[in-house]
Structures are given as C-alpha cells and as structure tokens.
Amino acid sequence: MELFFKLEAGYLGIAVFALLVTLFVTTRPFVAKGLYKKGLFFVGSASLSFIGVHFFVTSDRMVGVEDAFENGEKVVCESRMLRKVAQSVTIEKSNEWTLENHMFSSPNYSRAFFTARCIEYVPVTLTK
C-alpha cells in the first residue's frame, strides 16, 4: 500500500481536486437537481480507473526493470539533476549499483533512482 501512495499521490490529489470542482459545479442553482450524483459517479469512477491502470502498468514495469537489473542487464533511469546534459543514467550491476526497496544507488553517484522512473535498456540497431 505504501508503494501505491508513493506512485499515485499526485494523481490522487488531482482526482480529489476534480471531484471538488465537479461537486461545486453540479450544485449550482442553474444545474438540474440530483446531477451532482451522476457527476461525482462519472468523475470518481473515471479517476479511479485511470489511477488503477497507471498503478498496474507502472508496478509491472518496475518488476521488469528490477528483474533485468538482477539478471545483469542494463537499465536506463531519468536524471533530473542536469536538465541540459545527461538526462539519463545507465545503471548496471557490474558498475557497483545496488537495488534496495525499489531504489538504485551507487557509491559513485550522488543520488538514488526510484525504479518507477527507469526502463529496461533496449539497444537500437539500424538495418536497411
């Protein structure tokens, strides 16, 4: 459950805001009576569906990234440290990286990376 809140906290906040806006708009005098129930149901169910799908897709990708790392494959993580140069970092077990509690860390790098912000490395080959 902790992982769910780490991954979806921002989206849960957006969903609560959308529900509050829906409640405010649907309770105005110019809106038909009882429409707030339909509005809250629609916005709430859509928000929960999108958040649920996002969580399952992200947690599935995290499992794939962690498995790839444990098997000695490369992983690419987003680096928000420098936006202009080196926007990604390649992580390998052979380069002193470790994985603990969904976080990649290395004594040679100043910050850790959350596995939700990483992808498996897939080399690109150009053929004609």
Side-chain angles (χ1 to χ4, degrees), residues 11-94:
Y11 296 117
L12 289 170
I14 292 169
V16 168
F17 179 75
L19 286 170
L20 290 174
V21 168
T22 303
L23 183 63
F24 179 78
V25 169
T26 56
T27 56
R28 299 299 93 202
F30 55 84
V31 176
K33 298 283 185 201
L35 195 60
Y36 73 93
K37 291 179 186 177
K38 290 179 184 178
L40 290 177
F41 175 76
F42 175 74
V43 172
S45 60
S47 296
L48 288 176
S49 298
F50 292 139
I51 289 170
V53 167
H54 181 264
F55 175 73
F56 287 113
V57 167
T58 303
S59 58
D60 186 52
R61 187 181 68 241
M62 288 172 64
V63 169
V65 164
E66 292 171 6
D67 288 344
F69 176 77
E70 292 297 337
N71 293 329
E73 298 173 29
K74 292 181 183 181
V75 173
V76 178
C77 293
E78 174 188 23
S79 176
R80 295 183 177 183
M81 209 160 142
L82 297 171
R83 282 295 193 184
K84 295 178 182 166
V85 180
Q87 292 183 347
S88 62
V89 174
T90 303
I91 294 174
E92 291 181 84
K93 203 172 201 179
S94 62

